[in-house]
C-alpha cells in the first residue's frame, strides 16, 4: 500500500476514514557534543544594546508544570580527544589502524595535530592531523619485531590553536602488544587450476 503522508500539529483529531494515523515521537538532540539533548544557539550581537531571550516549548506543550534552564554565556571554544582502540594488538612485522577522535565544543572547528607520545621500539606511528571540520583521523601503529621489555601505555597528545593560543589535550591508553602471526601456509586441493 502507498499513502500520502501529512504531518499535523500535536493534539489534532481526525474523523474515521480508514487511513492509518501514526504518532511521530520526536526529541530534541540538536545540541551536539557536550550538550546532550539540550538545544544551543550561537548569537553574535551586531552592536551593544539590550537583548531579550524568550524560551518556549517547540511543541506547544509548555506551561507551569514544565521546567526550563537557560544559560547565557560567551563561547568557550575547546576540544577533547580520545583514542581507539586504547590498547591495540599489532601483528609482528605489520601495522594496525588507530583512530584519534575529537569532540569539538562551542564552535571550535580548526585542525588538530595528534601524535602518540613516548613510543618505544619496535613500535612506530606517524603524527597526523584531524583536518578542520573533521571529527577523526586514522593512522598506522606498526611493530617490526616483538618488544624486548615492558611496554609503557599509549599517550595520545593533541594540539590545536584556538583564538591564537596553543591548547594541548591528552588521552591515555593501554599498553600495545605484538602478536606473532604464526606459520602461514596454503594448500591446493585441486592439482590444476585453469584460468
Amino acid at each position: 500500500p502507498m499513502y500520502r503522508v501529512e504531518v499535523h500539529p500535536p493534539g489534532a483529531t481526525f474523523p474515521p476514514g480508514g487511513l492509518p494515523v501514526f504518532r511521530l515521537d520526536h526529541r530534541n538532540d540538536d545540541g551536539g557534543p557536550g550538550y546532550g539533548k539540550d538545544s544551543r544557539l550561537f548569537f553574535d550581537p551586531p552592536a551593544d544594546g539590550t537583548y531579550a531571550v524568550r524560551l518556549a516549548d517547540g511543541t506547544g506543550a509548555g506551561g507551569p508544570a514544565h521546567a526550563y534552564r537557560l544559560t547565557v554565556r560567551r563561547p568557550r571554544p575547546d576540544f577533547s580527544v580520545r583514542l581507539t582502540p586504547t590498547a591495540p594488538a599489532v601483528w609482528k612485522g605489520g601495522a594496525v589502524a588507530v583512530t584519534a577522535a575529537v569532540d569539538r565544543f562551542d564552535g571550535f572547528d580548526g585542525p588538530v595535530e595528534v601524535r602518540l607520545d613516548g613510543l618505544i621500539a619496535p613500535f612506530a606511528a606517524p603524527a597526523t592531523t584531524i583536518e578542520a571540520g573533521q571529527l577523526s583521523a586514522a593512522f598506522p601503529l606498526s611493530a617490526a619485531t616483538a618488544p624486548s621489555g615492558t611496554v609503557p601505555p599509549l599517550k595520545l597528545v593533541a594540539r590545536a590553536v584556538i583564538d591564537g593560543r596553543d591548547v594541548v589535550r591528552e588521552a591515555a591508553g593501554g599498553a600495545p602488544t605484538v602478536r606473532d602471526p604464526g606459520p602461514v601456509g596454503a594448500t591446493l586441493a585441486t592439482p590444476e587450476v585453469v584460468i
Side-chain angles (χ1 to χ4, degrees):
M2 182 179 283
Y3 301 104
R4 186 179 82 185
V5 176
E6 296 177 353
V7 178
H8 297 272
T13 57
F14 309 96
L19 293 177
V21 176
F22 298 98
R23 177 185 166 111
L24 298 176
D25 292 310
H26 66 281
R27 62 181 169 201
N28 185 359
D29 62 354
D30 62 352
Y35 292 91
K37 302 298 180 194
D38 295 336
S39 297
R40 67 174 175 179
L41 173 69
F42 291 102
F43 174 66
D44 189 6
D48 289 344
T50 302
Y51 296 88
V53 176
R54 180 175 162 238
L55 182 65
D57 186 279
T59 63
H66 289 75
Y68 301 98
R69 184 178 309 173
L70 174 68
T71 302
V72 179
R73 64 171 171 79
R74 294 181 184 274
R76 295 186 298 260
D78 203 350
F79 70 97
S80 65
V81 66
R82 61 188 185 281
L83 177 69
T84 307
T86 56
V90 183
W91 293 110
K92 184 168 61 174
V96 66
V98 176
T99 301
V102 293
D103 291 319
R104 299 174 179 273
F105 306 112
D106 280 7
F108 170 65
D109 206 26
V112 179
E113 299 169 3
V114 293
R115 71 178 191 281
L116 287 175
D117 221 12
L119 282 180
I120 63 165
F123 295 100
T128 191
T129 301
I130 300 173
E131 299 294 337
Q134 299 300 310
L135 298 176
S136 65
F139 56 93
L141 172 66
S142 62
T145 62
S148 59
T150 303
V151 178
L154 295 176
K155 181 168 85 168
L156 181 69
V157 177
R159 181 189 162 277
V161 176
I162 302 176
D163 294 334
R165 62 185 172 83
D166 280 341
V167 176
V168 177
R169 299 286 179 254
E170 296 180 357
T177 56
V178 175
R179 292 186 179 171
D180 191 345
V184 177
T187 59
L188 192 60
T190 307
E192 181 179 325
V193 177
V194 178
I195 299 177

